[in-house]
Every structure is written in C-alpha cells, then in structure tokens.
Amino acid sequence: MPGRRLDKGRDGSRTFPPQSCDFTMLRTHTCGELRSEHIGQSVTLGGWVQNYRDHRGLVFIDLRDRYGLTQVVFNLSHDDQMQSVARGLRSEDVVLVEGEVISRSENINPRLATGEIEIKAVRLDLLSKSKTPPFEPSTTDLPNEELRLKHRFLDLRRAAVQQSMVLRHALTKATRNYFDEHGFLDIETPILGRSTPEGARDYLVPSRVHPGSFFALPQSPQIYKQILMIAGYDRYMQIARCFRDEDLRADRQPEFTQIDVEMAFVQRDDILDVIDGLMAHLVRELRDEELALPLPRLTHEEVMERFGSDKPDLRFDMELVDIESIAGACGFGVFKNTIEAGGRVRGLNARGAAEKYSRKMIDELTAFVGDYGAKGLAFFRVGENVLDSPIAKFLDDQHHREIIEALSADPGDLLFFVADTAAVTSQALAALRNRLGRELQLYDPSELNIAWVIDFPLVTYNEEEDRWDAEHHPFCQPVAEDVPLLKTDPGAVRAQSYDLICNGYEAGSGSIRIHDASIQQDVFDLMGIQSEEAEMRFGFLLEALRYGAPPHGGVALGLDRWVMLFAGHDNIRDVIAFPKTQKAADLLSGAPSPVDDRQLRDLSIKTDLPESS
RNA sequence: GGGGCCGUAGCUCAAUUGGUUAGAGUACCGGACUGUCGAUCCGGGGGUUGCGGGUUCAAGUCCCGUCGGCCUCGCCA
C-alpha cells in the first residue's frame, strides 16, 4: 500500500490515506483530491463553506473538509434558483455540491493543492446552515484559548489541529504495529480500580452497591501489568488512559495517555533496546529520518552534575561547572561561606551573551532563579583575562583567570553562578540553562534529542515525614550490588530504573520490578510501610508474587507528550481533542458539574461545601 | 496553597499623566459588481470596558475583592 507516510499538501494540509471516498454515498470525492487529471468528470463534494466571494452573477466558494480545499463556482446564467442560494452561503454552512471539474486555465491558484481546477456547480444542497461562528477555522490570529475550548468543535476544524490529530493517530498506529510485530499482546486493564494511597491524588468513583466505598481511576496500570507478567503474558502493551488529580501544567492533564509496556524474563537493557527500536520506528514512520541507536544512556549522577536536571535538554551544551576550589578560596563572602557551610558554587557560560543581556535583563534572570530558591545570581562579563562585575572587586586577578579557565570563557561571554545547597544550584541553574538556551537560540527547535537517564536513586529522604520515599515507585528493583546498602546507606542505593527524555521533557519512565518477596519486604521496611499496611494496600500484588513471579520490568511513555514533541508544540492541550483547562474543567461540556440530589442519595453521599458556595 | 501575565464590539487589538461622544481591522446586515481566491467599492448596526466594591470633580486606566484563561513554584510514587 503506497503512501504510508504523511504527505504535506501544497496548501499546508496533510493528506492521509484513505484519500478516496470509500463507504460514502453522498460524495464522490474529497475536497483535497481533485487535480487536472479529473477535468471533465462529474463529481459531488461535501464540506463546509470556508469563504465566499460574491460577484452577483458569479459566486465563488472555498469548500473545505479535512482533506483540503476546493473552489466551487456558481454562474448566474446557469440557474437562478441555485444562484440565489449560493449568494446566501456563509462561513461554516454545510453543503453538497454537484458539478463538473473544469480547468482554471489562466486563473490557477498555486497556493492550493487543488488550485489547477474548480467545480462548475450544477446542483447545490444547503444541508445545514451555520450560525455566525465566533471565530473561523481559517483565522490566522487565534482567539483566546477559553473561546477555542468552549467552541472546540470549531477549533477542531482548524487545519493545524487536524494535523495534530492525524499525527496522533499515526503515532498510535505505528506504536501498535511495532509492538504487534514483536509479539506483544494488547490487554486492557480496569478503569475502576482500587485506591492506593501512595503517589498522586486519586480520582474517586463512589460505589452504589457498596455505600461508603469508592473505586479509584488508575494513575497507571502498574500493578495490573505486573500481575499479567506473573500470569505469564510475558509481552504486554496497552495504550492506557491514566488519571491523576494534581495541579496542571502545560505538559500535564488530569487524564492522559500512556504507552504502557511490560516484559518478563528480561533485564534492564532488554527494555531499553525494545524502546530504542520503538523510537527509531516512530522517527522513521513520522519524520522519515533514521535515529542513531542505541540511544545515549546517561546516569542520573552524571546528568545532575553536568546539567542540574534529571531531564536535561540535550540539544545544546552550556554545561554546569563547579568552582568549589576557587569559591572556597576567594574573597567573596557569599561564595566562601557557601562552601564552608557544605554548599556548592556552580555556574554556566552563556557564550557571546555579554552584550545581549543588560543589567535590567540580568535582574530579571535573578528574580527568575529566585523562583527555584536561589537567593542570588552572580554574573561576570568576560574581558581579556579579566571579569567585569559588581563583585569582581572581591576576587583577585588570579581568581579571575581561574574562573575564565574553569568555564573555558572567551571575551564577550557572560558567566552566571549560583551559590547554595546542591539541590538549589541544580534546580536554579537547570532552569536558567533552559531559558538561556531558548533565548539565545542555541538549538534547532525541530530537532528531537532523545536519551535515557538510568540509575536513579531508589529512594529519597522525606524531611517532613522523616522517612525514605520511593523515587519511582515501591516495586522498583535495586541494582544488585547495592542491595546490601539498603540497611546501611539507603540514599546510595541505585534503582534499576530509567527515564526516557526528549528536549527537556520526561517522556517515559520505567524500571525492573522486584519479583522477590523478601527484597520487596526490605524495601517496604525502608519506606516505613508496615507489613500489615503493605498487605492492605498492595496485598493482591504481594499475594500474586508468592505464586511464581518471573523477573520482569517495563516502561510507560507519555503518549500526549510524544505527540506534542513530534508536532513541535509546547503544550499537550494542542494534541488532545477535548482537553481540560488548568482548573481541570471541560469548557465544552461544562464538566465537572453538580448532580441531582437523587444521584447523591443513591450513592449515600452528602456534600459539605465551604460557606462561599 | 503561593507568584506572574491577561480579560475593552462576535473576534483580534488600540485608547497619552486619571479628562470630550471608548476607536481601528475583521466578522455581521443592506446595496453595487461575471474571474475572484485575505475579492473590491458604498452604506449601516453593534459596547454593563469580566463581575462587585472603593478612591476621585472625573476610572477602561488607580486600589481592594471576586470569577475565568494562560505560565509557573509547591504538588505530580
């Protein structure tokens, strides 16, 4: 079958098979289909009126469907009745037009894929009159997002949104094909499940027949897919909807979709290899490019040191540099005191940026890193063997030269430093690095830079609760040689876990799971989960583990994020047909909404609202 | 829960330091027009400046609150 790849039409619309009108009785062709080879044919098109140009005796309309745009011409000399209907057509009316494909001869429109022809109408059916739309799908300056979401049925008519939906379909299809070819079974898991208090806040669904009890919508199919491994379904995949009741971001929706994968009788690298293959497959299918494999595998320790982030944007360098020895010895109190207090002084070099950032802009950057806990942002403009800065006077010439050398700086460079705890220097400088990379245009925005981050810590210490919390989740297998450290130095234990990162986004995450009940018990102990409690929360998994569990592991990729990345967007609402707002509302349907008292009574639920409502 | 930006005609935006009757483009309505393709030309209607309160002789503009949208910190095993 030809044309498996996406093909971009001259008018920017994407065509995607099937292009023809199979299974359609009302139409003979789509609005993106007709070319000069069809001249002379009698055809019927259906679509939405995108634009009209009324010359009284001669009326043109641009007829649109999701395949493209075709011009239709109505001629007065032909049919009075039809002409008066044609003159009344307005944006978004739905019509069926029968006519002859004719050449546009000298009036060809080169900007339209169908621009060599037009339809000379002999019959016009106005199937559905449209109200005047609040915005037109063809608009170039987009209305505000609230309006777009309220009238999502209009927004979805926009070519750009339709392209995203087609891309999403193509990505999903290519993913299923890939896993199918490698023997994976697509198995569905429950949407109504059991609440597990760990992790994100659950969306709850009350049970009518069990008053006072609730289902939880899945945060992910994690436990079910592990049980499938124990049950012998050794290669599982699912395009799974997940739900998390946490605050939203540009790349986070309360319901989202994961490409969920799990395999048995595997080690970490088997999983990484499978996903490497998937990414290469997707890049080939969707971009017609070859991805170099294996994807880079960087340790968590390394990326935190080099970039200050566990999901660095690897499209550009500008790595973090530690200047502890200089800072500790210099005369600048903030630096010196930070080192003496066990903190860190790290910085980065914005090459050639000395003249691009005014003092005022640097003040703005200082406020920016403040959001990440940095109490200040030291900066130096680099000259010949000398640094220019309000704090330059606290450093002697030797220190100037050492800093220049440490950051391999050249005249005209702009250096930034943060002195604080290790965590704050990481967070602040990672955020600064991303911002500078964008502002200085250090990368090609169309590039996809994909890599693995491996060897995450198994647990991190939770100061507030005075306990160790799972970095990934409580079923994650420690690295074998680190197991003895579980009881002596938990913070040093590495997990057999991995994140797939792309352009600064976490776009996938997974691990090898614990399949040994005694190690699982050690991990629960470490996290302060008593066995009784563990039985209560995860008992059905623990019980399953006691009946013959193969070694297994898996990964979940964020489908919405991948579509966003492939589409070149910067928020996932653009690649979701019916997304929710930041307050988790659907402006189209009005969800969530109050319900009848009757419904609440059936569910044995009483509401207790704050005074104001 | 915290910080930031935004809200003016159906839509996109403008409105000097707080100062005359809140403007423009587009959309819409009426008219003209047989080769347009962002059609063109003539004419017309259209405003509780998100909502509530306050300051002031005077508020789209300043202050407080509130609602909504977006970005973000916390949060998201």
Side-chain angles (χ1 to χ4, degrees):
Chain A
M1 181 172 136
R4 283 186 72 196
R5 287 203 354 266
L6 295 171
D7 203 14
K8 204 165 190 174
R10 269 177 293 177
D11 53 357
S13 66
R14 281 191 188 274
T15 57
F16 190 75
Q19 183 54 218
S20 64
C21 270
D22 296 352
F23 308 114
T24 300
M25 283 179 253
L26 292 176
R27 305 178 290 182
T28 62
H29 295 78
T30 70
C31 295
E33 190 176 358
L34 297 170
R35 299 289 186 275
S36 46
E37 73 210 53
H38 298 92
I39 287 169
Q41 290 187 21
S42 179
V43 301
T44 303
L45 299 184
W48 287 259
V49 174
Q50 166 132 333
N51 197 8
Y52 66 96
R53 294 176 289 280
D54 181 359
H55 296 227
R56 186 175 195 156
L58 195 65
V59 175
F60 299 95
I61 64 167
D62 297 329
L63 194 62
R64 182 197 70 236
D65 61 19
R66 77 175 170 92
Y67 306 94
L69 218 55
T70 299
Q71 174 165 286
V72 181
V73 57
F74 301 90
N75 197 317
L76 179 61
S77 62
H78 201 273
D79 180 342
D80 272 7
Q81 180 63 33
M82 182 177 76
Q83 195 68 1
S84 69
V85 176
R87 295 193 65 198
L89 293 177
R90 291 296 179 270
S91 289
E92 302 312 303
D93 290 345
V94 177
V95 295
L96 211 54
V97 176
E98 187 183 336
E100 185 190 346
V101 182
I102 62 172
S103 167
R104 290 223 213 167
S105 54
E106 60 268 28
N107 295 314
I108 283 172
N109 184 345
R111 284 182 297 172
L112 222 54
T114 61
E116 291 180 358
I117 57 93
E118 64 189 351
I119 308 302
K120 187 174 144 195
V122 298
R123 183 187 159 95
L124 168 65
D125 287 319
L126 176 54
L127 299 181
S128 178
K129 187 73 188 160
S130 170
K131 288 172 68 178
T132 299
F135 63 93
E136 293 178 27
S138 59
T139 188
T140 43
D141 40 355
L142 280 181
N144 72 60
E145 193 148 354
E146 191 176 355
L147 195 76
R148 289 174 53 200
L149 292 175
K150 202 170 282 176
H151 301 271
R152 190 62 168 168
F153 45 87
L154 295 178
D155 202 42
L156 284 165
R157 289 179 191 169
R158 291 172 43 234
V161 179
Q162 292 184 339
Q163 285 168 31
S164 297
M165 294 304 131
V166 169
L167 183 69
R168 185 175 180 122
H169 163 84
L171 192 148
T172 305
K173 181 168 179 286
T175 298
R176 283 216 166 86
N177 287 347
Y178 174 83
F179 284 112
D180 177 61
E181 284 161 14
H182 289 84
F184 285 73
L185 287 179
D186 181 349
I187 300 176
E188 292 174 276
T189 52
I191 292 294
L192 296 176
R194 185 193 166 102
S195 174
T196 51
E198 292 272 315
R201 210 171 281 119
D202 284 323
Y203 275 101
L204 297 177
V205 179
S207 165
R208 175 180 56 83
V209 294
H210 299 280
S213 285
F214 295 80
F215 296 101
L217 305 183
Q219 295 178 26
S220 80
Q222 181 62 36
I223 293 178
Y224 288 109
K225 70 176 175 179
Q226 288 190 238
I227 287 176
L228 285 170
M229 293 305 108
I230 297 167
Y233 296 80
D234 62 328
R235 292 184 173 202
Y236 146 93
M237 72 82 60
Q238 182 183 191
I239 309 284
R241 193 66 64 88
C242 306
F243 307 86
R244 293 177 191 177
D245 187 6
E246 296 291 345
D247 287 344
L248 276 57
R249 287 285 188 283
D251 63 349
R252 277 170 18 196
Q253 282 273 300
E255 58 178 303
F256 61 100
T257 306
Q258 284 186 345
I259 300 168
D260 199 41
V261 177
E262 195 81 1
M263 300 171 75
F265 301 107
V266 289
Q267 295 181 315
R268 185 195 67 192
D269 286 0
D270 300 316
I271 306 282
L272 303 194
D273 290 345
V274 164
I275 300 303
D276 276 6
L278 171 67
M279 295 320 300
H281 180 68
L282 293 178
V283 166
R284 199 177 301 126
E285 292 289 305
L286 302 175
R287 312 187 119 207
D288 199 22
E289 291 168 13
E290 285 302 313
L291 189 64
L293 296 185
L295 293 170
R297 297 171 186 185
L298 308 168
T299 67
H300 180 265
E301 188 180 12
E302 180 182 358
V303 295
M304 290 308 293
E305 193 56 33
R306 291 173 57 194
F307 305 101
S309 167
D310 59 5
K311 46 179 191 291
D313 188 337
L314 299 174
R315 288 175 297 180
F316 61 102
D317 298 329
M318 203 157 79
E319 297 189 12
L320 274 45
V321 177
D322 186 297
I323 56 161
E324 175 175 351
S325 58
I326 307 169
C330 78
F332 183 47
V334 172
F335 282 7
K336 200 169 191 304
N337 297 340
T338 298
I339 297 302
E340 281 168 4
R344 302 191 66 179
V345 179
R346 290 198 287 173
L348 50 77
N349 182 356
R351 295 192 184 279
E355 300 306 318
K356 292 179 183 165
Y357 284 84
S358 66
R359 181 59 199 265
K360 193 180 169 191
M361 291 161 80
I362 292 174
D363 286 346
E364 163 60 28
L365 294 178
T366 306
F368 174 72
V369 296
D371 291 344
Y372 300 86
K375 291 180 282 292
L377 181 65
F379 68 94
F380 301 92
R381 291 193 171 85
V382 181
E384 292 290 349
N385 290 319
V386 67
L387 298 171
D388 176 29
S389 164
I391 60 171
K393 58 177 177 282
F394 298 115
L395 306 170
D396 61 33
D397 295 350
Q398 174 65 19
H399 290 135
H400 284 211
R401 284 194 296 274
E402 284 175 11
I403 288 175
I404 288 169
E405 168 147 13
L407 286 97
S408 36
D410 296 310
D413 289 354
L414 179 57
L415 313 180
F416 292 101
F417 293 92
V418 172
D420 214 300
T421 61
V424 168
T425 59
S426 285
Q427 287 161 25
L429 288 169
L432 182 65
R433 176 177 175 272
N434 281 339
R435 177 167 170 164
L436 293 172
R438 187 176 64 247
E439 290 181 356
L440 296 168
Q441 300 180 305
L442 298 182
Y443 54 85
D444 171 3
S446 69
E447 181 187 348
L448 289 183
N449 191 310
I450 311 170
W452 290 101
V453 176
I454 60 173
D455 290 350
F456 278 71
L458 183 72
V459 290
T460 48
Y461 191 67
N462 182 334
E463 303 267 352
E464 281 177 30
E465 307 284 337
D466 185 31
R467 61 154 194 255
W468 295 92
D469 281 346
E471 174 81 13
H472 185 52
H473 58 57
F475 316 113
C476 193
Q477 175 89 22
V479 168
E481 65 186 79
D482 293 350
V483 168
L485 298 174
L486 275 174
K487 287 177 174 140
T488 56
D489 187 8
V493 177
R494 290 166 296 168
Q496 294 194 46
S497 67
Y498 31 83
D499 277 4
L500 187 63
I501 60 170
C502 180
N503 296 2
Y505 289 93
E506 179 199 321
S509 185
S511 65
I512 298 298
R513 329 297 182 187
I514 297 170
H515 67 282
D516 178 305
S518 75
I519 294 181
Q520 183 68 73
Q521 192 57 56
D522 288 347
V523 172
F524 281 152
D525 288 346
L526 176 61
M527 295 187 313
I529 301 176
Q530 308 300 319
S531 17
E532 265 177 41
E533 196 183 352
E535 287 294 336
M536 191 184 72
R537 290 179 183 182
F538 316 113
F540 60 114
L541 174 64
L542 297 177
E543 181 68 356
L545 284 171
R546 294 180 190 117
Y547 283 85
H552 63 283
V555 66
L557 309 185
L559 176 74
D560 313 278
R561 284 182 189 171
W562 277 110
V563 179
M564 172 186 83
L565 287 161
F566 272 97
H569 287 130
D570 58 8
N571 78 72
I572 62 172
R573 292 185 302 279
D574 284 347
V575 300
I576 296 173
F578 301 103
K580 291 181 174 53
T581 66
Q582 193 158 47
K583 292 191 73 182
D586 177 356
L587 298 183
L588 176 69
S589 72
S593 67
V595 296
D596 292 345
D597 288 343
R598 167 72 192 275
Q599 286 177 285
L600 292 178
R601 269 202 306 278
D602 280 351
L603 297 168
S604 313
I605 286 178
K606 282 203 175 99
T607 55
D608 178 18
L609 301 176
E611 291 295 324
S612 57
S613 29

